[in-house]
Amino acid sequence: MREFRGNGSTIATLVLPLCLLVAGAATGGAEDGAAEDGASAILRMLEARVASDPLHADSWRLIGRHHHRAGNQQGAEEAFRRALEIDPQNIALHFDYGNHLSDSGNPQQARHHYRQVHVLGPESGYTRQLVERGIVFDDLPGPPSGASDPANLGGGPDLLQASYQIRAFDHTEETEQRLGHPELEPTLELTPPQRFRAYVEFGALYNSNVTLAPISRQLLDADADSAQGFLNPEFEWIWADWERTRIGTLGRGYFTVNESNLSDFNLASFQPGAFVERDQLFGRTDLSGRIDYVYSLDLFGGERLGDRHAVTTSATSLRPDGDLVHLFWTASFSQFDEDGENPQVESLDGPAHTLGISRFFKWDSRWIPASTLGANVESVDTEGADFRYAGATVHGDLTLALRERISFIPEVSAGYRSYDEYTGAVSRDEVVWRVGGRLRWDWTEAMSVSAVAGYDRFASDNELFDADRTQAGIVWTYLR
């Protein structure tokens, strides 16, 4: 099949130091960023938001929450009071302010704000939490009209998850990881594969929004552009081989390092796993089946964001002419450390299922563009109602040979996500699309250098979920 191969000791010598270097920079940078000005990157972004829009009550509320967690009682008090002046009927604000006052030794003042939670939102998740804590009021009237509940308007946790992928939002990773990435052309493989397969991608990028990582998304749209270094190593080791059946272990990772003022958004994802695969020849068509399991530990700014488990079952057919069809089904489960104030609405935990198919077309002449077309459907059943969705995506790319060793590879994808159970007044359904490309020079058989550019877009009528990202830079790729 379409595999990446190489000498185990050579690749390990390259991959392991790079992994340790970038992972260390990610965690060390987070400490430096936290020390700088005594504030996190999220807090700085919130403060920038209220500087440009001082009447944004929910930003003041989130600033109060950050100061409360940091033990800055005066800063929390000032932020909560500012928010109350702007929006005195904000249910989440009364809940957070009440918690702050209770923890600060002011139970009577806290009870006043808890009472407002009951008055403004008797059926809200915040009221249910108070009832579970035994904080009840029996003499209250029904809720007045016009009460605003930011939890029902898209507020809640500071980080909002966008998807379950690491590098891309459209599931093209699944096909790339199985087939050996676009840098490889498929060939009919009848001999047993080498025991070690490796792929390493690293580079320097400009990223217009480092808060928009594929495993999490910043709630607020603020300036967060940064120069960014990244490393994406992948390797597989076959430790048992019975003719055309193989069992082995795998390891993947994705690491980014941003400028110091945005080091709280350094991403580190460690992904160990295992696989079993079998090839079978039917006539002149090579059919391969595979099952792999991957555990992922994700960290943002050196702090654990959560972990994920994923099992992928795939089947791939390869003809002698190079045409290839890849079908996969992935079942995953994510567990995020932050479930929000109201997990039934805000939690990101839960299973996801993705079914996808891709077709690779290769022609006899290298001057006729090779191409890939694919589609997938996805169902995400999170515990939080605001994050359950069903979606579908189509994607494609071309490989245009400009010269003997120079190729241009444009790519595009478009999809739609439907959040039928979203609790807010403004729909958060999204049109998700991506355009990009790379100009690649094949330096050697194993190494290539590319100039890359891409644009990701989440288009939603709900401004709290509308986001985009532009990336451009230089990428080095090594594979065997």
Side-chain angles (χ1 to χ4, degrees), residues 205-208 411 433-438 451-457 468-473:
L205 302 171
Y206 164 77
N207 190 329
S208 68
E411 56 186 8
W433 54 276
R434 176 169 66 98
V435 294
R438 62 173 59 201
V452 302
Y455 178 74
D456 295 291
R457 180 79 168 98
D468 63 359
R469 174 182 67 173
T470 300
Q471 290 181 304

Side-chain angles (χ1 to χ4, degrees), residues 26 62 105 140 174 181 236 252 254 256 315 354 365-366 456:
L62 293 175
L140 294 176
E174 283 86 344
H181 297 266
E236 295 183 359
R252 300 170 185 153
Y254 193 76
T256 64
T354 305
S365 172
R366 67 174 273 108
D456 295 291

Side-chain angles (χ1 to χ4, degrees), residues 190-214:
L190 299 177
T191 58
Q194 298 181 15
R195 287 188 174 272
F196 194 83
R197 318 168 185 174
Y199 173 95
V200 182
E201 190 174 62
F202 58 96
L205 302 171
Y206 164 77
N207 190 329
S208 68
N209 187 359
V210 298
T211 70
L212 182 59

Side-chain angles (χ1 to χ4, degrees), residues 193-197 236-250 273-278 289-292:
Q194 298 181 15
R195 287 188 174 272
F196 194 83
R197 318 168 185 174
E236 295 183 359
W237 174 260
I238 299 173
W239 55 266
D241 189 348
W242 300 283
E243 295 182 355
R244 299 182 71 84
T245 300
R246 298 172 291 277
I247 298 176
T249 57
L250 60 86
F275 67 91
V276 56
E277 62 184 16
R278 178 174 175 80
R290 171 171 166 133
I291 299 176
D292 62 31

Side-chain angles (χ1 to χ4, degrees), residues 28 31 73 81 91 102 107 218 225 227 291 315 328 331 371 466 470:
E31 295 176 356
Q73 185 170 346
R81 287 186 178 277
I91 299 171
S102 178
Q218 175 62 24
D225 61 312
I291 299 176
F328 72 89
S371 60
D466 191 273
T470 300

Side-chain angles (χ1 to χ4, degrees), residues 22-34:
V22 176
T27 55
E31 295 176 356
D32 294 338

Side-chain angles (χ1 to χ4, degrees), residues 151-155 385-386 419-428 462 465:
N152 288 334
L153 294 175
D386 281 2
Y419 294 81
D420 289 339
E421 299 182 53
Y422 179 63
T423 60
V426 180
S427 171
R428 69 154 298 184
N462 191 321
F465 295 90

